[in-house]
Amino acid sequence: MPTKEMICISCPMGCMLSVDYDETGVLKVTGNQCKRGEIYASKEVINPRRVVTSIVPVIGGVEDMVSVKTATDIPKDLMKDCILALKNIKVQAPVEIGQVILENVCGTNVCVIATKRVEKKL
Amino acid sequence: MINKDIVIIGGGPAGLAAAIGAYEAGNKDIVILERDNQLGGILNQCIHPGFGLHTFKEELTGPEYASRYVKKINDLGIESKLETMVIDIAPNLIVSAINETEGVIQYQAKAVILAMGCRERPRGALNIPGTRPAGIYSAGTAQRYVNIEGFMPGKSVVILGSGDIGLIMARRLTLEGANVKTVVEIMPYSGGLKRNIVQCLDDFNIPLKLSHTVTKIHGKTRVTGVTIARVDDDKKPIPGTEEFIECDTLLLSVGLIPENELSRKVGVKINPRTQGPIVTESLETSIKGIFAAGNVLHVHDLVDYVSGEAYLAGKNSVKYIDGLLNENHMINIVTQDGVRYSVPSSINPKNAEDLSLIRFRSTDVYKDAYVSVFLDQERIIHSKKKIITPGEMEQVTILKKWLQDRPINSIFIKIEKE
């Protein structure tokens, strides 16, 4: 039964996890100090996922750029593709926090949403 | 002259939370003075997630975290002045500021809260030999370019220093298409959070070279490369270990320094270890009525801690104005044996909250060691830690009742092997 050592990235504590797993999935996680560690380890061994953040240009806003993020984590392998998919996107001001910027990014069924409010330039 | 009970200098996370703390303690006569054109401070350029797990129990990006506080400030109707630069605080709490529309504005305050944050250590503080080409940026400046203004500082990048901003930028620049060649750290350990080593470097196979530094910057008009070398225990480059790395950009992530020009000018006593004011449990500085919180006080790892600390400073500024802060019975906090500093530096049991947090950093990396707290001779806390590193702030909680049972002269905080 393989064991993997990893550092939990769920919060700044950075717990050192020891994860026992086989082809059926994660069997045992030790070293975590909370439930998030278990969830992270299960995902990280089978299908590592990350939240991706970037910016997109705003047309007619008080600021030139608005920050965005994937609404949930997406497969780690798709991080760069996600950034590329945002390259051709521009949004019209005003932009609200949580506004959908791009649906179903890279076929993940996850939306990219705005994380900042940008008002219209008067 | 405008009379204002509480003048808060800085509208970043510390200033915003301090204002809410003061308001909720019952004083609504508050103004926040902010030199940028928006509230939120440095959070606006920290577009990555990881903020607010303690405060909001969810993982927010910097702009989202800031917006929660800004919304509350607006909902409560707390006054803020943007693009307004404070130029002086007088010992009698007259705060002078300037802006384009009103010229010089003066406030007679009853309490002032310092919330100016910190600045990055610049190249000039490092004495790296070489030319002065374009392409050398502090990591935070690069972060502003990429995340707020929307352009890239370069294509192939070396990062000196493994502070969190440098690590975050390693990932950000990589995702945006740059080639981040290596992160070079002079210390034998990283100055950043472990999670950032994993998700910003390991995820992208970016090598972290510990005990290495940049010994030369090459290039005449633009950076063409850097020479790096291994350093010995005294942090001196070891001859023969030099290696040339071609790059067009060097980012510096070599530490943050609390921004205390105003504090020094008015005569607030500064702790040479933190470069921030020496404060009591109430976050009051050496000058009565002047409080400090956030990164102006000491550089924090987590904005959640900044918000908590600043909320307390706001609340205590109201206690001070109402004449409820007791000025006697200070217990000194002494740091020794591996503890570099503590905030606060003293506790008055009469003013202390039921639970008082003392935050500190270690001088070195300790494995399987104990954080110990002594009330004079008696050891009252002895807690085992797998790892203690200078890059991660530690804290201990002191119960008010411990301090009330009997007279105590000093609280000692130290790191013990067993």
Side-chain angles (χ1 to χ4, degrees):
Chain A
M1 183 175 62
T3 301
K4 208 168 179 176
E5 305 285 322
M6 59 175 71
I7 291 168
C8 179
I9 62 166
S10 305
C11 90
M13 290 282 293
C15 294
M16 298 202 201
L17 309 179
S18 190
V19 190
D20 295 342
Y21 66 101
D22 62 16
E23 63 283 351
T24 63
V26 170
L27 303 173
K28 193 175 156 212
V29 180
T30 50
N32 55 313
Q33 295 180 42
C34 77
K35 224 179 152 99
R36 279 196 291 263
E38 254 177 80
I39 299 167
Y40 171 76
S42 307
K43 281 188 183 174
E44 192 67 11
V45 168
I46 315 284
N47 173 19
R49 296 171 76 89
R50 300 284 185 268
V51 170
V52 177
T53 64
S54 189
I55 50 166
V56 296
V58 181
I59 301 160
V62 291
E63 284 166 74
D64 297 334
M65 298 286 164
V66 63
S67 52
V68 300
K69 69 173 182 185
T70 54
T72 64
D73 49 16
I74 63 166
K76 193 170 134 181
D77 301 341
L78 293 176
M79 280 196 283
K80 277 205 167 171
D81 294 335
C82 172
I83 297 278
L84 286 175
L86 288 167
K87 287 290 174 210
N88 299 319
I89 305 249
K90 285 186 178 144
V91 288
Q92 194 78 41
V95 185
E96 290 298 330
I97 291 183
Q99 182 179 324
V100 174
I101 302 296
L102 178 62
E103 283 178 26
N104 186 20
V105 63
C106 305
T108 55
N109 274 325
V110 174
C111 294
V112 175
I113 58 173
T115 57
K116 195 170 195 295
R117 184 161 182 249
V118 178
E119 284 167 36
K120 212 170 173 172
K121 196 174 189 170
L122 297 173
Chain B
M1 184 87 70
I2 305 163
N3 285 311
K4 195 58 89 176
D5 279 3
I6 300 164
V7 174
I8 298 172
I9 304 173
L16 297 173
I20 294 166
Y23 187 98
E24 290 183 351
N27 194 320
K28 298 171 184 174
D29 194 24
I30 305 165
V31 66
I32 301 170
L33 304 176
E34 167 58 47
R35 68 180 166 194
D36 204 347
N37 61 2
Q38 57 182 338
L39 294 173
I42 211 71
L43 284 170
N44 288 314
Q45 69 183 55
C46 298
I47 65 165
H48 54 281
F51 303 91
L53 271 168
H54 291 260
T55 313
F56 299 111
K57 309 289 173 226
E58 58 181 309
E59 198 166 5
L60 303 172
T61 64
E64 290 171 311
Y65 187 96
S67 76
R68 303 248 173 139
Y69 280 87
V70 172
K71 183 174 185 303
K72 188 146 190 192
I73 293 288
N74 292 337
D75 290 349
L76 297 176
I78 294 171
E79 183 190 359
S80 58
K81 269 190 197 295
L82 301 177
E83 296 182 304
T84 301
M85 178 83 183
V86 173
I87 50 172
D88 186 60
I89 307 164
N92 57 0
L93 305 190
I94 292 176
V95 176
S96 305
I98 48 170
N99 67 30
E100 269 186 30
T101 49
E102 294 162 280
V104 176
I105 325 161
Q106 285 195 309
Y107 292 97
Q108 173 66 64
K110 290 182 182 163
V112 172
I113 302 175
L114 307 174
M116 293 90 82
C118 61
R119 281 191 168 181
E120 296 179 280
R121 184 171 284 136
R123 177 184 177 180
L126 298 179
N127 300 322
I128 309 170
T131 47
R132 293 279 183 276
I136 305 168
Y137 305 92
S138 65
T141 302
Q143 189 179 42
R144 186 185 165 89
Y145 286 156
V146 179
N147 291 346
I148 303 241
E149 298 179 24
F151 53 86
M152 292 282 280
K155 290 181 177 137
S156 63
V157 184
V158 169
I159 300 177
L160 174 60
S162 60
D164 286 312
I165 314 170
L167 300 177
I168 294 285
M169 285 313 292
R171 171 177 63 184
R172 183 78 185 105
L173 291 168
T174 303
L175 282 172
E176 287 294 343
N179 178 7
V180 178
K181 296 197 158 171
T182 184
V183 176
V184 181
E185 168 62 57
I186 194 167
M187 302 300 283
Y189 50 83
S190 163
L193 296 172
K194 286 190 284 269
R195 70 190 307 227
N196 285 337
I197 305 284
V198 173
Q199 63 186 353
C200 299
L201 300 187
D202 298 352
D203 269 6
F204 302 97
N205 302 313
I206 299 168
L208 170 61
K209 285 183 179 282
L210 298 173
S211 298
H212 278 71
T213 193
V214 171
T215 55
K216 189 171 181 181
I217 298 170
H218 303 264
K220 207 167 175 187
T221 54
R222 175 84 198 188
V223 174
T224 55
V226 294
T227 301
I228 67 167
R230 178 174 278 281
V231 297
D232 62 19
D233 291 345
D234 297 323
K235 302 190 191 79
K236 295 267 179 280
I238 303 170
T241 63
E242 296 89 353
E243 183 189 341
F244 176 78
I245 302 179
E246 199 180 308
C247 62
D248 62 19
T249 303
L250 175 67
L251 294 195
L252 305 175
S253 178
V254 289
L256 300 167
I257 305 165
E259 189 172 347
N260 278 293
E261 286 88 348
L262 288 170
S263 329
R264 283 199 175 85
K265 205 168 148 202
V266 63
V268 162
K269 277 195 192 129
I270 301 290
N271 180 339
R273 298 264 172 86
T274 55
Q275 296 290 310
I278 293 170
V279 293
T280 66
E281 79 299 317
S282 300
L283 286 322
E284 191 174 30
T285 67
S286 61
I287 297 179
K288 297 275 156 249
I290 300 184
F291 295 77
N295 281 353
V296 79
L297 183 54
H298 58 141
V299 177
H300 295 63
D301 303 333
L302 297 190
V303 70
D304 299 77
Y305 294 164
V306 167
S307 299
E309 184 180 275
Y311 185 89
L312 197 60
K315 179 176 157 185
N316 286 319
S317 71
V318 176
K319 264 167 106 175
Y320 166 80
I321 291 170
D322 296 343
L324 298 174
L325 272 195
N326 189 292
E327 293 187 9
N328 303 314
H329 293 299
M330 278 296 177
I331 301 172
N332 279 324
I333 301 171
V334 183
T335 58
Q336 47 190 202
D337 298 350
V339 179
R340 206 162 78 85
Y341 73 81
S342 76
V343 170
S345 304
S346 59
I347 293 190
N348 182 331
K350 292 219 157 91
N351 299 334
E353 305 278 312
D354 290 343
L355 302 174
S356 293
L357 289 179
I358 302 178
R359 297 202 161 112
F360 63 93
R361 283 184 196 273
S362 65
T363 51
D364 216 329
V365 176
Y366 296 89
K367 281 182 181 160
D368 292 319
Y370 292 82
V371 170
S372 298
V373 178
F374 290 75
L375 304 181
D376 289 329
Q377 312 302 325
E378 186 202 348
R379 189 165 72 188
I380 196 150
I381 294 177
H382 188 57
S383 82
K384 191 171 182 184
K385 296 266 174 185
K386 267 190 187 164
I387 189 156
I388 305 167
T389 89
E392 306 206 5
M393 193 187 277
E394 298 287 337
Q395 61 183 41
V396 289
T397 308
I398 305 290
L399 273 58
K400 185 175 184 170
K401 63 175 186 194
W402 294 347
L403 310 178
Q404 289 173 320
D405 294 348
R406 60 204 153 79
I408 295 160
N409 289 317
S410 301
I411 298 173
F412 297 90
I413 306 178
K414 49 181 110 176
I415 293 168
E416 295 182 307
K417 293 262 153 61
E418 52 190 40

